[in-house]
Amino acid sequence: MNIQNPHVSHFASVRGALVMLCALGLALPALALAAGSARAQLDAFASGLQSVSAHFSQVSVDANGNAGRSANGTLQLAAPRLFRWQVDTPYHQLIVADGTRVWVYDPDLQQVTVRAQNSAEAHSPLNVLTDLKLLDRQFKVSEDGAHDGQAWLKLRPDNDHAEFKYAELGFADNQLRTMVFEDLLGDRTTIRFSDWRRNAKLPADTFRFTPPPGADVIGDAPTAEAYPLKN
């Protein structure tokens, strides 16, 4: 039995989620593509998309083949840089990108980590779906065939500053079903998506975060107590 230190596992899950934000930094130009190809399905899914929400399940395996923590939760994103990733089970965690900063809240530790939202996070694949311009500039992109009932794209970063080695996106019925990525430490994470809702009206506070009373705040936090949505 592989017994993990819960704090180590927590930080690994935070790192994995933030790497996922960068790895999801995808964007596609509208091209005439073969029907059913992964690129054609991504183009169809992203067309006219301003906001989206979904459920996710995530599992990770480290470079030695040891299973990490699994997670289930919800995500929301809106153009151009707004993102919310909420883990509901088997633990709780919240990541909010408000257009200026990224907030990571761990209720168990009563700790908030905040830092500037950089350009890689701004182009996260949650923003892949709402910004179709940068993929071919930032990645080496190839069709990766069909398996597990999905058509796959493989993306390799085209610079030395990326936080992941590659990402694979699986599509079926013009929806993103699966994302697999390997980070620089060799950890491999698989995220499965379901219940996509396109252009649904999201609550006004979806992309706002105010540290709860008593929480330790680490990082570059503003002095104001409210964080409005960014245009």
Side-chain angles (χ1 to χ4, degrees):
M1 179 180 296
N2 179 31
I3 299 176
Q4 296 183 326
N5 183 309
H7 295 296
V8 172
S9 184
H10 158 74
F11 290 119
S13 68
V14 171
R15 185 189 71 239
L18 292 176
V19 170
M20 179 277 305
L21 279 175
C22 297
L24 290 181
L26 321 174
L28 281 175
L31 300 175
L33 302 171
S37 71
R39 289 188 68 150
Q41 293 194 55
L42 176 53
D43 186 63
F45 184 47
S47 178
L49 196 64
Q50 296 298 315
S51 66
V52 70
S53 64
H55 289 85
F56 71 85
S57 62
Q58 172 181 314
V59 294
S60 299
V61 178
D62 70 18
N64 296 318
N66 299 313
R69 296 176 80 177
S70 60
N72 296 275
T74 58
L75 69 91
Q76 293 85 29
L77 66 113
R81 301 182 62 187
L82 306 177
F83 171 82
R84 183 183 183 94
W85 179 270
Q86 181 170 321
V87 177
D88 297 320
T89 60
Y91 57 96
H92 296 281
Q93 182 188 85
L94 176 63
I95 302 174
V96 175
D98 65 12
T100 301
R101 290 174 172 82
V102 177
W103 304 83
V104 181
Y105 174 46
D106 186 320
D108 293 333
L109 298 178
Q110 275 294 287
Q111 184 179 90
V112 176
T113 303
V114 56
R115 60 186 175 88
Q117 187 172 343
N118 65 33
S119 59
E121 290 153 350
H123 300 137
S124 91
L126 301 174
N127 296 337
V128 50
L129 308 175
T130 56
D131 180 359
L132 297 183
K133 293 178 290 194
L134 303 176
L135 179 62
D136 289 319
R137 299 178 194 172
Q138 296 183 345
F139 297 93
K140 296 176 181 177
V141 185
S142 60
E143 294 279 346
D144 204 30
H147 57 85
D148 300 323
Q150 299 169 71
W152 292 82
L153 273 183
K154 190 156 193 172
L155 309 160
R156 294 188 181 276
D158 205 15
N159 62 71
D160 298 327
H161 306 294
E163 297 184 22
F164 66 102
K165 295 178 181 177
Y166 66 83
E168 298 170 333
L169 304 181
F171 294 87
D173 300 322
N174 290 340
Q175 292 193 356
L176 176 63
R177 301 293 190 186
T178 308
M179 177 177 173
V180 180
F181 68 88
E182 183 174 324
D183 68 20
L184 299 181
L185 298 179
D187 296 350
R188 183 179 172 89
T189 299
T190 299
I191 305 169
R192 302 189 189 281
F193 301 99
S194 61
D195 302 323
W196 286 106
R197 298 182 62 201
R198 297 168 50 89
N199 294 331
K201 186 174 181 179
L202 300 175
D205 63 352
T206 299
F207 306 107
R208 298 174 183 169
F209 182 81
T210 300
D216 293 327
V217 179
I218 301 171
D220 179 26
T223 56
E225 294 186 356
Y227 311 98
L229 291 170
K230 303 296 178 182
N231 294 325

